[in-house]
Amino acid sequence: MPKNIKKTIVPEFGMDFEGKYLTRVDTNRKIVVVGAGAFGGWTALTLLKNGYNVTLIDTWGGGNYRSSSGGETRLIRSVYGNNEFYTQLAMRSMQIFKDFEHDIRRKILFETGNLWFVDKKNDIEIQAAIGLMEKYGIHYEILSQQDIMSRFPLVCPRKRDYFLLEKNAGYLLAREITMEVVNQFIKYGGNYTCGEVKPGTIENNTMDSLLIQNERVFENSFYIFACGPWLKTIFPDLLGTELQVTKQEVFFFGLTEEEATHYEKYPTWIDMGGKEIYYGIPSDISRGFKIASDTRGESFNPTNGNRVITPKNVEKARNYIKKTFAYTGELPLIQSRVCQYENTINGNFIIDNHPMAADNVLIVGGGSGHGFKHGPAIGELILHTLQAKKPVYNFLRIKK
């Protein structure tokens, strides 16, 4: 363990369940984490703080524009229907983000609250979430149309049955957090390098090394691949059907000075009641009105795909804002971004040993559009599984 770091005490969390134990890894074994995004960065930092000898590798660097973690902001919330474990993960991550904010002495988490627009077709899911919020003491309010008109007069949603305000939800400075995690990893003595990684030779249930520019490196280590959308590229035969990478477009519309001032006080929001699930941040750290659709886009190559927005999607988003928020201005498009989701077939994350190299290869990924908020807790969950303290939650299993 580096001399300048105090070992952290990571709490056990999670429900009792029948799960799968992964390979136990002793602290004297070298670990190489491939990918410095939301899952890989937090995993590397957590393992380092708990006595492991860790090297972190990323092709273009943590928070780079191609990465799924490279956007300026991401929502954080705890509502997950009746999925208790994902609710727990989100709650634990929220606490770690707050502690991290204190460690780096800067604001990265904005608890604006999150306003859910609810109608009959998703009422069952929200009611299940309310039950878990009651169980875990998550603060919320149920609001009517009349309440919305009084509390948030710039919102004029169409035919929603009611609204759920999750009070401690909000948004995170995603790109800056990702970069700060790498900085903290380096600060505490972790080994960090950039390069394009390929898996080495696999035989007898073991991978012998990694390849960087066709040179064998980091032989006889334990390897954690947390490469987001590039997992499918690195392991095409293994994840070709379990993981789909889709193009996702995010838009930022300009507001007048007066409206921008008002929207700064508004919560983030998710509208579950329309044909598409839209979500956004009314005043995204002075970058305008952020809006995106959760509908999965076309297949996308994260390395070579052209990150050009679709004009019809801009108009759809602009029309949605005009119908759902009390806005009559021009709404000029002042910024846009193309990123990607890496979707598993059921929306669950992947934390599993490589089926042909289970002795020393762990695959972590499948953020599926909701992974960033869980990154810190995923790092702790991987620590627990490597320590063989608790079986891993039944995420998506990788088939041979």
Side-chain angles (χ1 to χ4, degrees):
M1 178 189 295
K3 293 181 180 180
N4 60 338
I5 187 170
K6 183 178 180 180
K7 186 174 181 180
T8 58
I9 305 300
V10 177
E12 294 276 346
F13 65 97
M15 302 174 294
D16 294 328
F17 52 81
E18 292 297 326
K20 171 185 175 182
Y21 283 96
L22 301 179
T23 304
R24 181 184 176 89
V25 181
D26 293 328
T27 55
N28 60 2
R29 188 170 190 184
K30 185 175 184 60
I31 294 180
V32 182
V33 179
V34 182
F39 288 177
W42 282 106
T43 295
L45 182 59
T46 304
L47 294 178
L48 180 72
K49 285 185 172 183
N50 285 271
Y52 286 90
N53 179 3
V54 187
T55 294
L56 177 62
I57 308 174
D58 195 279
T59 302
W60 293 288
N64 72 83
Y65 195 86
R66 285 183 173 95
S67 69
S68 299
S69 305
E72 292 295 333
T73 51
R74 292 289 183 272
L75 300 189
I76 182 166
R77 39 87 180 183
S78 299
V79 168
Y80 266 91
N82 64 356
N83 194 315
E84 189 166 1
F85 193 70
Y86 277 109
T87 296
Q88 288 184 322
L89 283 178
M91 291 175 61
R92 177 58 188 153
S93 283
M94 175 71 86
Q95 184 57 56
I96 299 173
F97 280 125
K98 290 179 179 179
D99 294 341
F100 190 67
E101 192 174 60
H102 181 267
D103 291 342
I104 64 176
R105 299 180 181 180
R106 57 169 304 190
K107 190 73 174 170
I108 57 167
L109 168 64
F110 296 83
E111 294 180 81
T112 61
N114 185 74
L115 189 65
W116 294 81
F117 301 179
V118 186
D119 69 2
K120 291 180 181 178
K121 72 179 182 181
N122 44 58
D123 176 67
I124 294 177
E125 180 180 354
I126 293 297
Q127 290 301 320
I130 289 172
L132 290 177
M133 295 171 85
E134 294 277 0
K135 178 177 179 178
Y136 289 107
I138 300 172
H139 301 297
Y140 72 93
E141 284 185 77
I142 301 297
L143 304 177
S144 65
Q145 284 271 8
Q146 188 172 1
D147 294 329
I148 291 294
M149 293 171 62
S150 174
R151 297 264 298 273
F152 306 110
L154 295 182
V155 179
C156 52
R158 302 150 289 162
K159 298 181 180 179
R160 300 297 181 253
D161 291 306
Y162 64 93
F163 305 84
L164 172 69
L165 179 61
E166 184 183 348
K167 291 187 175 182
N168 296 118
Y171 67 92
L172 300 155
L173 301 186
R175 180 180 60 84
E176 296 185 30
I177 289 171
T178 305
M179 295 171 67
E180 284 285 1
V181 168
V182 173
N183 290 339
Q184 292 294 301
F185 177 79
I186 296 170
K187 173 183 175 181
Y188 290 124
N191 305 305
Y192 176 66
T193 186
C194 289
E196 183 180 3
V197 174
K198 295 181 181 178
T201 302
I202 295 176
E203 57 182 24
N204 299 323
N205 212 34
T206 302
M207 182 180 291
D208 66 350
S209 63
L210 297 178
L211 298 175
I212 297 181
Q213 295 179 341
N214 295 321
E215 180 182 351
R216 289 179 60 185
V217 293
F218 303 113
E219 298 179 52
N220 303 316
S221 301
F222 189 90
Y223 311 103
I224 300 175
F225 287 86
C227 312
W230 288 276
L231 281 175
K232 187 174 180 177
T233 303
I234 294 173
F235 301 111
D237 295 334
L238 198 63
L239 298 173
T241 58
E242 278 78 11
L243 197 65
Q244 300 297 320
V245 180
T246 59
K247 177 182 178 182
Q248 305 298 138
E249 301 178 7
V250 184
F251 308 118
F252 300 80
F253 291 100
L255 303 171
T256 65
E257 182 179 350
E258 181 181 2
E259 283 161 332
T261 300
H262 288 307
Y263 276 131
E264 283 180 356
K265 303 178 180 67
Y266 274 50
T268 63
W269 54 275
I270 302 174
D271 186 352
M272 303 175 65
K275 293 181 180 179
E276 292 189 53
I277 297 177
Y278 276 104
Y279 65 92
I281 304 173
S283 184
D284 186 84
I285 52 172
S286 302
R287 279 176 163 77
F289 191 112
K290 177 180 178 178
I291 181 172
S293 171
D294 195 54
T295 301
R296 274 44 175 171
E298 62 191 48
S299 294
F300 189 69
N301 184 316
T303 300
N304 299 319
N306 291 318
R307 297 177 183 267
V308 179
I309 60 174
T310 308
K312 70 175 183 179
N313 290 340
V314 177
E315 290 308 309
K316 285 171 62 178
R318 180 182 281 119
N319 290 336
Y320 172 87
I321 294 173
K322 288 185 174 182
K323 291 178 180 177
T324 310
F325 294 84
Y327 195 88
T328 58
E330 293 298 321
L331 285 174
L333 182 67
I334 57 174
Q335 187 178 349
S336 62
R337 184 171 189 269
V338 173
C339 58
Q340 64 275 320
Y341 285 171
E342 52 274 6
N343 308 286
T344 62
I345 55 177
N346 62 5
N348 281 320
F349 304 147
I350 299 171
I351 301 179
D352 202 2
N353 289 127
H354 190 301
M356 278 77 78
D359 286 349
N360 69 337
V361 178
L362 181 66
I363 296 175
V364 181
S368 301
H370 65 111
F372 189 88
K373 71 179 72 63
H374 297 285
I378 290 293
E380 290 189 344
L381 190 63
I382 292 170
L383 171 68
H384 292 156
T385 61
L386 296 192
Q387 293 175 335
K389 287 184 177 180
K390 187 182 286 288
V392 69
Y393 175 72
N394 189 26
F395 294 121
L396 182 70
R397 298 266 74 84
I398 299 175
K399 302 175 183 178
K400 277 192 175 182

